[in-house]
Amino acid sequence: MVAASPRARRRISILGATGSIGTSTLAVIAERPDDFEVVAVTGNDNAAKLAEIARAVGARLAVIANPAAYAVLKDALAGTGIEAATGDSAVVDAAARPADIVIAAIVGAAGLVPTMAAIEAGAQVALANKECLVCAGELFIAAARRAGPPILPVDSEHNAIFQALGGHAIDTVEKIILTASGGPFRDWTVDAMAAVTPQQALRHPNWSMGPKITVDSATMMNKGLEIIEAYHLFGLSGDKVEVLVHPQSAVHGIVAFRDGSMLAQMSAPDMRTPIAHCLAWPERTESGSPRLDLAALGSLTFERPDPRRFPALRIAREALAAGGWATNIMNAANEIAVDAFLRHRIGFLEIAELVEETVARAAGLATETPASTEAALNLDREGRRIALELMQARAGLGIAS
Ligand code: NAD
Ligand code: MG
């Protein structure tokens, strides 16, 4: 018998290497360091951490987006032979460097241009940055079709759906189910939710993640973004994407096929599993994540989300039905609102209110799906402007807390 030839080392770049997904990706690579060669790593402003990562993995290039942090990066990498660079365009260049796989793990619409550059350069993109799809999903899917390799979903629910689909055509699917933990306020009253502090919202019961997505999970806007993400990734209309609250976070996604079969993917709530799936696809590799102990869990429960306490799901579905302009504006407003909440400028329930008001206000101004990256970025800026304006008006009226 002839032994299978060892697979060549996969060249990998990590956009957002200093964040939560970046850190989990580095942990997966550390399981099998000989299988990977790190081309580029990027971060926003934590230059010391980025330099430490670049040295540890022997990256060829490290890019810090914020020029104010460049001196620290350059000093820390002096004499290592690792190239250092700064600025938004350098992040885009890093994304476009020849690589087999690019992990898109920048948070928010800031990831739009670099992720698009990675797709256009022909890399296999493993996408964590769901906001890009909500902002300009049509453009991303069209660019990925032109470039060739499919986008691999890192987001655990979409990764679960991708795995459960197992290559079946989408017309064999009746619906998909995305699960949600329900976040820290799953069974809180509206009155109690009105007084939630950033500190409370940042304490997620099951997952350890960056601050923005942790707040999105608490409002369930994360699941709203994920409905739109699923629409783009799998080509399924919104009414075929169901959300169920599953507090144990063991089942991440379920595909219901037209013959009545339901296939689910299960794993511990740890992003190293979906990341490892993307890094090795179509093969499998070690992830280093903990194993699910079903007997210890005892039971798995599922319930419908409460639309009254979590209006973000309805807002997201309405935006999806209205079109690409509305999801773009919704995402921009949500980024502004989450940031304002984290800075104690608005209350927890005001996040969804502000998002809904911004989309309503923008309805008269924009009605077309952005046809280019520039158009998507312009719309995003407009959404942010309107959201800030509405927030100031609220503060003036004494509505904001
Ligand atoms: P994070 O805040 O921990 O990390 C974000 C990364 O993006 C950091 O490296 C940061 O330096 C970089 N960044 C931020 N602003 C930037 C800018 N303007 N320019 C360049 N780089 C910038 O966030 P995270 O939790 O790792 O999430 C990253 C993305 O993955 C988000 O879109 C999130 O929704 C998605 N995601 C995260 C998880 C998770 O478990 N953390 C799960 C599913 C999806
Ligand atoms: Mg998710």
Side-chain angles (χ1 to χ4, degrees), residues 11-172:
R11 293 168 305 163
I12 173 170
S13 289
I14 309 170
L15 312 177
T18 55
S20 167
I21 291 288
T23 304
S24 295
T25 304
L26 292 162
V28 175
I29 292 174
E31 290 285 318
R32 305 280 296 225
D34 293 342
D35 290 356
F36 302 101
E37 179 185 327
V38 179
V39 176
V41 288
T42 79
N44 192 30
D45 47 20
N46 191 342
K49 185 168 181 186
L50 184 67
E52 194 185 305
I53 290 168
R55 294 175 84 122
V57 297
R60 269 181 262 157
L61 168 67
V63 179
I64 198 82
N66 184 353
Y70 181 55
V72 174
L73 181 71
K74 210 168 151 45
D75 282 357
L77 293 179
T80 60
I82 301 169
E83 194 185 333
T86 188
D88 290 341
S89 64
V91 175
V92 176
D93 291 345
R97 283 266 169 118
D100 298 309
I101 182 156
V102 174
I103 307 290
I106 292 174
V107 60
L112 188 78
V113 177
T115 306
M116 189 63 97
I119 289 177
E120 285 171 348
Q124 174 86 72
V125 169
L127 186 78
N129 184 197
K130 66 192 86 180
E131 293 93 344
C132 305
L133 285 181
V134 179
C135 194
E138 288 81 2
L139 295 173
F140 269 94
I141 299 305
R145 287 225 177 91
R146 280 195 300 273
I151 295 174
L152 297 179
V154 170
D155 210 352
S156 54
E157 299 75 6
H158 305 72
N159 184 270
I161 299 298
F162 184 88
Q163 294 198 45
L165 271 172
H168 283 288
I170 207 66
D171 63 4
T172 62

Side-chain angles (χ1 to χ4, degrees), residues 296-321:
L297 270 176
S299 61
L300 301 177
T301 61
F302 299 89
E303 67 202 41
R304 291 188 206 292
D306 176 356
R308 203 175 52 88
R309 290 180 306 126
F310 297 100
L313 286 171
R314 171 186 55 77
I315 296 168
R317 285 193 187 280
E318 286 173 2
L320 180 59

Side-chain angles (χ1 to χ4, degrees), residues 209-232:
M209 311 179 284
K212 195 253 174 188
I213 184 175
T214 306
V215 175
D216 283 345
S217 298
T219 59
M220 287 195 77
M221 180 51 93
N222 183 48
K223 221 43 60 177
L225 299 174
E226 289 183 357
I227 292 170
I228 299 163
E229 182 184 12
Y231 163 82
H232 289 298

Side-chain angles (χ1 to χ4, degrees), residues 132-283:
C132 305
L133 285 181
V134 179
C135 194
E138 288 81 2
L139 295 173
F140 269 94
I141 299 305
R145 287 225 177 91
R146 280 195 300 273
I151 295 174
L152 297 179
V154 170
D155 210 352
S156 54
E157 299 75 6
H158 305 72
N159 184 270
I161 299 298
F162 184 88
Q163 294 198 45
L165 271 172
H168 283 288
I170 207 66
D171 63 4
T172 62
V173 174
E174 216 160 60
K175 68 173 179 184
I176 62 173
I177 299 169
L178 308 177
T179 60
S181 67
F185 315 126
R186 180 171 55 89
D187 42 23
W188 285 36
T189 63
V190 173
D191 284 350
M193 284 165 82
V196 156
T197 64
Q199 209 187 9
Q200 288 170 313
L202 287 174
R203 232 180 281 131
H204 196 280
N206 303 353
W207 296 91
S208 159
M209 311 179 284
K212 195 253 174 188
I213 184 175
T214 306
V215 175
D216 283 345
S217 298
T219 59
M220 287 195 77
M221 180 51 93
N222 183 48
K223 221 43 60 177
L225 299 174
E226 289 183 357
I227 292 170
I228 299 163
E229 182 184 12
Y231 163 82
H232 289 298
L233 285 175
F234 304 116
L236 277 172
S237 57
D239 60 332
K240 292 188 169 175
V241 183
E242 191 176 322
V243 170
L244 288 179
V245 174
H246 167 53
Q248 299 81 21
S249 295
V251 174
H252 304 295
I254 303 166
V255 177
F257 290 96
R258 68 172 183 222
D259 62 5
S261 301
M262 292 173 108
L263 294 190
Q265 184 270 352
M266 302 171 72
S267 54
D270 188 307
M271 290 308 292
R272 285 173 291 179
T273 292
I275 291 169
H277 174 260
C278 292
L279 289 186
W281 185 82
E283 293 166 26

